[in-house]
Amino acid sequence: MGSTANVALTVVVVIYVVVRQFRARRITSDSRRMLVVPAVLAVLALRDHSLIDHAHRTASVALLVVSILLEVAMGFAWGFTTRVWRDASGTVWAKGTVATGFAWVGMIVARIALYAVGSAMGVAEGQGVLLLSLAAVLLVRTAVVSWRARETGPSYGVPAVG
């Protein structure tokens, strides 16, 4: 898959995720389903031959590790700023909040800053870094929301705020 296709895929996934997260959605316990999008993104990232800049191997790997760690942290922030509640029928729901929007803005700013640092160091970062980072943030966010959904107690007419 070429880099143009990877960019298009990344944009489509980000738009889909952002739009979807601000709508209330039912949380299911199907753990296999939560792995599909991150797994596809990770496979595409690992197939990208420009994931590591071989001319700047150490700096490139360091930036990749920092990027993944940053996205893991952002996944936790995203997961804990998502409102999770159980309705009267026992169904668990989740919906992004204003704080979730700020977490997204922070993630985008941090991503731009990492690209700027890499560029200043002469490191060429391919789409693989972005795809792998997106896989990490989606996986962690989904895991946190799923954990919070399991911990959500019975509803007594008032949604739990989370």
Side-chain angles (χ1 to χ4, degrees):
M1 185 176 264
S3 68
T4 303
N6 282 352
V7 169
L9 174 67
T10 303
V11 168
V12 167
V13 168
V14 167
I15 289 171
Y16 171 76
V17 168
V18 168
V19 168
R20 190 168 176 256
Q21 76 160 331
F22 289 104
R23 291 190 331 222
R25 68 199 170 286
R26 192 167 38 107
I27 303 297
T28 64
S29 61
D30 186 1
S31 60
R32 291 176 301 178
R33 203 170 134 221
M34 76 180 225
L35 298 175
V36 172
V37 173
V40 168
L41 292 173
V43 166
L44 290 174
L46 295 173
R47 290 182 53 185
D48 184 0
H49 299 296
S50 64
L51 184 62
I52 303 296
D53 181 353
H54 297 289
H56 302 92
R57 189 177 306 259
T58 303
S60 181
V61 169
L63 282 170
L64 178 62
V65 169
V66 168
S67 177
I68 298 299
L69 291 175
L70 174 69
E71 296 301 334
V72 166
M74 292 309 257
F76 276 105
W78 183 11
F80 281 108
T81 60
T82 299
R83 180 174 167 235
V84 177
W85 73 97
R86 185 177 304 271
D87 68 14
S89 70
T91 302
V92 179
W93 295 83
K95 182 179 180 181
T97 64
V98 172
T100 307
F102 283 118
W104 265 94
V105 170
M107 182 173 60
I108 292 167
V109 168
R111 167 72 33 222
I112 291 169
L114 277 175
Y115 273 117
V117 167
S119 180
M121 296 170 63
V123 176
E125 291 186 278
Q127 267 52 42
V129 174
L130 183 59
L131 292 171
L132 196 56
S133 297
L134 189 56
V137 75
L138 289 173
L139 183 63
V140 172
R141 180 260 175 205
T142 303
V144 169
V145 170
S146 295
W147 170 76
R148 290 183 60 217
R150 283 191 306 276
E151 298 296 316
T152 301
S155 174
Y156 298 103
V158 179
V161 176

